[in-house]
């Protein structure tokens, strides 16, 4: 039942902001009991596809990264070795996002990138960690790239990264993170796609090296994409 409702949302039969038809009609349409239907609605609410509003029915919504990451969280908890696969996927994806951003960066985008670097610098000077601003910088690059699908994938990836131990990110090495972020931003702003790719890859490889160091993973386990 859940899959049938989810298919209606994904295929555009139900769009964000639409109200679900009455329970009686949906139960009759799919040949299920209203109890089964309610269970399916509850599951989709937990996944972020539906919002139950008191007195206003059940409304369709577009799930964000946090919601889309939900099915993977228990998998990461039960199989922590998959964290390396997650970071490898990030290393495959984000350098190409940087290339796309370099080809589309506007003056306004450049100003936002510089503002992000300034915020990171102030955070470091205040002796605080970069975790939130680190992830925000990478999300900004995806937004500059101008691809909605890429942005949604990255939002989901970041929601999963936040569940990992913070020392698996270079945010625990703020000076290094800022230096590498600056190199990425400068390449994007100057329209240097190859330079942006190279700087992004070096940054993400530093993340994997920190895992080798701190988690005791054999270097051969940090695989090339």
């Amino acid at each position: 039942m859940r899959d049938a409702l989810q298919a209606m949302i994904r295929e555009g039969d139900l769009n964000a902001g639409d109200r679900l038809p009455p329970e009686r009609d949906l139960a009759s349409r799919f040949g299920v009991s209203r109890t089964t239907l309610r269970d399916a609605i509850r599951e989709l609410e937990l996944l972020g596809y539906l919002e139950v509003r008191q007195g206003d029915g059940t409304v369709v919504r577009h799930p964000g990264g946090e919601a889309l990451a939900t099915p993977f969280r228990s998998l990461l908890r039960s199989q922590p070795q998959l964290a390396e696969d997650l970071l490898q996927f990030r290393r495959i994806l984000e350098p190409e996002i940087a290339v796309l951003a370099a080809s589309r960066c506007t003056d306004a985008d450049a100003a936002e990138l510089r503002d992000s670097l300034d915020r990171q610098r102030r955070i470091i000077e205040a002796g605080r960690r970069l975790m939130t601003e680190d992830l925000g910088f990478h999300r900004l690059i995806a937004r500059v790239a101008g691809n909605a699908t890429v942005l949604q994938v990255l939002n989901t990836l970041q929601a999963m990264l936040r569940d990992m131990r913070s020392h698996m990110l270079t945010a625990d090495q703020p000076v290094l993170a800022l230096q590498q972020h600056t190199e990425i931003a400068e390449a994007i702003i100057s329209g240097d796609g190859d330079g942006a790719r190279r700087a992004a890859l070096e940054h993400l490889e530093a993340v994997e090296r920190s895992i080798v160091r701190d988690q005791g993973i054999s270097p051969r386990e940090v695989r090339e994409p």
Side-chain angles (χ1 to χ4, degrees):
M1 182 64 239
R2 186 198 72 180
D3 291 343
L5 280 176
Q6 201 168 11
M8 291 177 68
I9 296 170
R10 286 175 173 168
E11 293 168 8
D13 295 328
L14 292 169
N15 298 303
D18 290 348
R19 288 179 178 79
L20 284 188
E23 281 187 3
R24 180 178 60 254
D25 295 347
L26 280 175
S28 174
R29 173 176 176 177
F30 292 107
V32 298
S33 69
R34 293 174 74 169
T35 299
T36 298
L37 175 63
R38 287 171 188 152
D39 288 342
I41 289 173
R42 177 58 179 159
E43 287 185 53
L44 290 177
E45 182 184 14
L46 292 173
L47 289 173
Y49 285 93
L50 297 174
E51 180 182 355
V52 178
R53 299 176 181 172
Q54 289 295 330
D56 196 28
T58 300
V59 179
V60 176
R61 54 179 299 220
H62 285 311
E66 290 286 343
L68 291 173
T70 298
F72 300 100
R73 286 187 164 126
S74 60
L75 187 62
L76 278 174
R77 284 193 292 268
S78 63
Q79 301 183 50
Q81 69 275 13
L82 293 180
E84 283 78 68
D85 290 334
L86 179 62
L87 289 171
Q88 182 188 43
F89 174 67
R90 187 185 182 197
R91 186 154 57 98
I92 294 169
L93 177 68
E94 292 197 39
E96 299 310 311
I97 295 176
V99 173
L100 188 58
S103 71
R104 297 181 173 179
C105 185
T106 65
D107 290 344
D109 295 329
E112 286 195 66
L113 287 166
R114 293 190 180 101
D115 286 345
S116 175
L117 294 175
D118 286 342
R119 287 194 300 272
Q120 293 175 57
R121 194 171 294 109
R122 290 195 296 271
I123 289 170
I124 292 172
E125 290 171 351
R128 306 201 316 268
R129 294 175 60 81
L130 277 181
M131 180 66 69
T132 300
E133 193 61 43
D134 184 316
L135 296 175
F137 175 76
H138 291 278
R139 188 163 53 249
L140 174 58
I141 292 173
R143 186 157 59 79
V144 172
N147 185 302
T149 299
V150 162
L151 184 57
Q152 185 67 282
V153 170
L154 188 64
N155 284 341
T156 304
L157 177 62
Q158 289 190 347
M160 297 166 69
L161 287 170
R162 278 193 292 271
D163 288 346
M164 295 164 56
R165 294 177 64 181
S166 62
H167 68 255
M168 298 176 81
L169 303 172
T170 54
D172 73 332
Q173 304 173 59
V175 175
L176 173 62
L178 177 58
Q179 175 188 335
Q180 294 176 335
H181 287 173
T182 300
E183 292 170 356
I184 296 168
E186 287 178 348
I188 290 173
I189 290 169
S190 65
D192 180 4
D194 289 339
R197 178 192 288 114
R198 183 168 53 253
L201 185 58
E202 288 174 357
H203 175 51
L204 296 171
E205 285 176 341
V207 173
E208 295 200 18
R209 284 195 298 271
S210 74
I211 296 173
V212 171
R213 182 187 67 243
D214 297 336
Q215 298 290 91
I217 299 169
S218 168
R220 64 184 173 82
E221 292 182 61
V222 182
R223 302 176 295 278
E224 292 298 323

